[in-house]
């Protein structure tokens, strides 16, 4: 029984595919100031460029990455990171459904009510708490 177990273990290890693990990585370029790009052996690509901005020297970055899904379709993502924040663009990102007309009308009504309340807030003072007594 022990011999059969050892033989089965040897057979399983010999039949195991040897493609496990991360793919080999090929670097095509690294660090040119605040920029870099690379590509892995399985087609993943990444690139970034940075430029100092303003008196503080903060770096505004832009770049992106791409890869291929197992079904063969490609994925492309680009980004910008600067004083306006981090913004990503890709066809892969979900987008919200458009608002129905009644929701847009309700939002507009609320905006008008807020504007009217703000216009009136300067005319009235807060209610008195002393009721005429010092």
């Amino acid at each position: 029984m022990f011999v059969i177990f050892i033989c089965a273990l040897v057979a399983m290890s010999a039949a195991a595919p040897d493609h496990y693990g991360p793919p080999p990585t090929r670097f095509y370029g690294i660090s040119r100031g605040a920029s870099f790009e690379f590509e892995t052996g399985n087609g993943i690509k990444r690139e970034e460029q940075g430029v100092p901005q303003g008196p503080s020297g903060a770096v505004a970055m832009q770049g992106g990455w791409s890869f291929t899904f197992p079904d063969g379709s490609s994925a492309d993502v680009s980004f910008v990171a600067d004083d306006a924040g981090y913004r990503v663009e890709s066809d892969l990102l979900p987008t919200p459904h458009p608002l129905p007309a009644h929701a847009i009308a309700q939002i507009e009504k609320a905006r008008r009510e807020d504007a009217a309340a703000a216009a009136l807030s300067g005319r009235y003072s807060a209610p008195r708490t002393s009721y005429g007594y010092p």
Side-chain angles (χ1 to χ4, degrees), residues 13 17 21 28 46 54 60 70-71 75 84 92 95 102 108-109 118 129:
S13 64
Y28 288 95
R46 171 86 186 209
D71 67 358
L92 301 172
T95 56
H102 71 276
E108 180 59 25
K109 179 181 183 238
T129 57

Side-chain angles (χ1 to χ4, degrees), residues 48-118:
E48 289 185 19
Q49 301 86 32
V51 180
Q53 282 188 324
S56 66
V59 177
M61 301 293 293
Q62 67 179 19
W65 58 93
S66 64
F67 58 92
T68 304
F69 287 109
D71 67 358
S73 61
S74 65
D76 295 311
V77 179
S78 63
F79 74 91
V80 175
D82 57 13
D83 56 352
Y86 184 76
R87 299 173 307 281
V88 180
E89 293 182 11
S90 175
D91 292 340
L92 301 172
L93 296 175
T95 56
H97 294 287
L99 290 174
H102 71 276
I104 294 172
Q106 189 65 31
I107 291 169
E108 180 59 25
K109 179 181 183 238
R111 188 197 60 77
R112 284 192 311 266
E113 289 174 353
D114 288 347

Side-chain angles (χ1 to χ4, degrees), residues 9 44-45 50 52 87 91 95 120 126:
L9 187 61
I44 298 173
K45 297 176 187 174
R87 299 173 307 281
D91 292 340
T95 56
L120 292 176

